[in-house]
Amino acid sequence: MSRVYNFSAGPAALPEEVLQRAADEMLEYGDSGQSVMEMSHRSKEYQAIIDSAESLLREIMSIPDNYKVLFLQGGASSQFAMIPLNLMTTGKADFIVTGQWANKAYQEASRYGDCKIVASSKDKTFSYIPEIDNSEFRPDASYVHICQNNTIYGTRFSDIPETGNVPLIADMSSCILSEPVDVSKYAVIYAGAQKNMGPAGLTVVIIREDLIGNARETTPTMFNYQIHADNGSMYNTPPTYGIYILKLVLEWVKSKGGLSAMKEYNEKKAAVLYDYLDSSSLFSATVQGRDRSLMNVPFVTGNEELDAKFVSEAKKAGFINIKGHRSVGGMRASIYNAMSMEGVEKLVAFMKKFEAENA
């Protein structure tokens, strides 16, 4: 078997140990006589799996007891509507727009109330995190929304905005589990699983309990956080297999030393790639300084034809999904938890060879 190095932004690479464990348990989980994929979500066997997934997530992320963990569907994009429907109690919300997903969250929420862009980096193709004037935050806003790590543009918030008494909500789809997070600084953290947690189809929401129960009258039942919290994420059939894979991923993260160890490893991997990009005469990173993401590294040659040639030759050499997002072009290497140091080092070696041949 020859596995490629998958630099996809999502669905992304999963740890090989997790995939092997899932393969070993595909036909029978434990002594249940059945696969998790065909297991009733109402069975005691499955209840133990979802309970274990939640318990591990709480332990690894140090989630306080006054937060609910919800396992939902519909992707992070469904949260763009679910959040205002449940939480925009004053009819106002503030946004920091640092990329496409943050902007989509702003646009969706604008359908439900008065939404204000407090800061944006659109003027330079979202290649930096903007300076924030705290006086711009409205004290009567229901919440402030950020996208903590910007998958397409390769930026991240290294400092969390100070929002005072206004709840902070973060889309952490592409950085959750990559480093320790002080959950208590956020009112809501949400993430699509398909980057660092598991397969596509599962969305995780971590929400402070006091914010639940304020959904507007017209909120669809499935979009009401209260329904899911009251039913232990079992109001309908949850994404059962995705939750099981998340459990395996969390066991893997724990075995590797938890989020502090993940951060250290991710910083080392990112340094290998950024150091080369900063020294290269052909390739250059599109983000500079402390705003650089540890998870998504966009880069360019400055020549579209050469970019296309690199993407093509990289694929032949076993480095796949390295083409940049269609909205920005160039290349992007997503180096989530499951990407090995070996994969990053081999990519850099390939880039050096390409540079020598195309200088």
Side-chain angles (χ1 to χ4, degrees), residues 265-283:
Y265 192 51
N266 287 327
E267 285 176 339
K268 286 178 180 173
K269 286 187 297 181
V272 168
L273 188 46
Y274 282 122
D275 286 352
Y276 166 65
L277 289 170
D278 289 343
S279 68
S280 171
S281 57
L282 178 63
F283 298 102

Side-chain angles (χ1 to χ4, degrees), residues 298-310:
F299 57 97
V300 293
T301 65
N303 179 311
E304 287 187 15
E305 287 181 12
L306 208 50
D307 286 353
K309 182 181 181 185
F310 176 79

Side-chain angles (χ1 to χ4, degrees), residues 69 71 92-93 102-103 147 175 182 222 269 296 306-307 353 359:
V69 173
F71 297 127
K92 295 180 180 180
N103 191 52
C147 184
C175 62
D182 183 350
M222 280 297 291
K269 286 187 297 181
N296 313 99
L306 208 50
D307 286 353
K353 177 172 175 282

Side-chain angles (χ1 to χ4, degrees), residues 20-66:
Q20 189 59 59
R21 172 94 179 271
D24 292 344
E25 294 179 340
M26 176 54 82
L27 282 177
E28 183 178 23
Y29 178 79
D31 57 2
S32 68
Q34 60 191 315
S35 170
V36 175
M37 205 174 273
E38 55 193 355
M39 198 177 273
S40 166
H41 62 296
R42 303 293 180 197
S43 65
K44 69 178 190 337
E45 291 90 350
Y46 190 75
Q47 189 64 53
I49 290 172
I50 194 170
D51 288 348
S52 176
E54 178 177 341
S55 176
L56 279 162
L57 188 64
R58 285 185 175 279
E59 177 189 347
I60 288 167
M61 288 188 69
S62 301
I63 299 171
D65 291 342
N66 64 323

Side-chain angles (χ1 to χ4, degrees), residues 74-81 171 173 190-192 194 203:
S77 296
S78 284
Q79 296 306 307
F80 300 164
D171 177 351
S173 294
Y190 67 96
Q194 69 275 12
T203 306

Side-chain angles (χ1 to χ4, degrees), residues 10-237:
L14 283 162
E16 285 193 23
E17 295 99 309
V18 167
L19 294 173
Q20 189 59 59
R21 172 94 179 271
D24 292 344
E25 294 179 340
M26 176 54 82
L27 282 177
E28 183 178 23
Y29 178 79
D31 57 2
S32 68
Q34 60 191 315
S35 170
V36 175
M37 205 174 273
E38 55 193 355
M39 198 177 273
S40 166
H41 62 296
R42 303 293 180 197
S43 65
K44 69 178 190 337
E45 291 90 350
Y46 190 75
Q47 189 64 53
I49 290 172
I50 194 170
D51 288 348
S52 176
E54 178 177 341
S55 176
L56 279 162
L57 188 64
R58 285 185 175 279
E59 177 189 347
I60 288 167
M61 288 188 69
S62 301
I63 299 171
D65 291 342
N66 64 323
Y67 283 73
K68 290 283 190 187
V69 173
L70 307 177
F71 297 127
L72 308 178
Q73 297 174 78
S77 296
S78 284
Q79 296 306 307
F80 300 164
M82 212 163 169
I83 288 163
L85 284 169
N86 284 266
L87 304 181
M88 204 193 287
T89 52
T90 67
K92 295 180 180 180
D94 290 348
F95 288 77
I96 300 171
V97 176
T98 51
Q100 183 169 307
W101 303 112
N103 191 52
K104 285 186 174 180
Y106 161 74
Q107 289 176 330
E108 187 71 16
S110 295
R111 300 174 63 197
Y112 303 103
D114 170 13
C115 293
K116 175 186 176 183
I117 297 176
V118 170
S120 172
S121 51
K122 188 179 181 181
D123 62 322
K124 292 183 182 174
T125 326
F126 301 118
S127 59
Y128 69 104
I129 298 295
E131 287 289 320
I132 295 151
D133 178 356
N134 290 346
S135 69
E136 287 290 315
F137 291 125
R138 297 177 291 183
D140 60 343
S142 299
Y143 57 84
V144 174
H145 179 283
I146 64 170
C147 184
Q148 189 107 352
N149 182 86
N150 297 287
T151 326
I152 295 172
Y153 305 96
T155 60
R156 66 164 180 156
F157 281 85
S158 45
D159 295 315
I160 301 165
E162 294 291 337
T163 59
N165 294 324
V166 180
L168 179 64
I169 295 176
D171 177 351
M172 290 194 188
S173 294
S174 55
C175 62
I176 198 164
L177 299 185
S178 67
E179 59 184 337
V181 169
D182 183 350
V183 175
S184 68
K185 290 186 176 178
Y186 302 85
V188 180
I189 292 170
Y190 67 96
Q194 69 275 12
K195 300 170 188 294
N196 242 349
M197 302 183 101
L202 168 64
T203 306
V204 175
V205 174
I206 301 164
I207 179 169
R208 214 172 63 210
E209 284 180 352
D210 62 295
L211 296 170
I212 297 173
N214 300 310
R216 59 184 69 189
E217 286 282 308
T218 54
T219 301
T221 302
M222 280 297 291
F223 268 37
N224 189 331
Y225 288 131
Q226 182 91 55
I227 294 292
H228 299 289
D230 289 350
N231 290 279
S233 300
M234 294 271 201
Y235 176 75
N236 69 327
T237 308

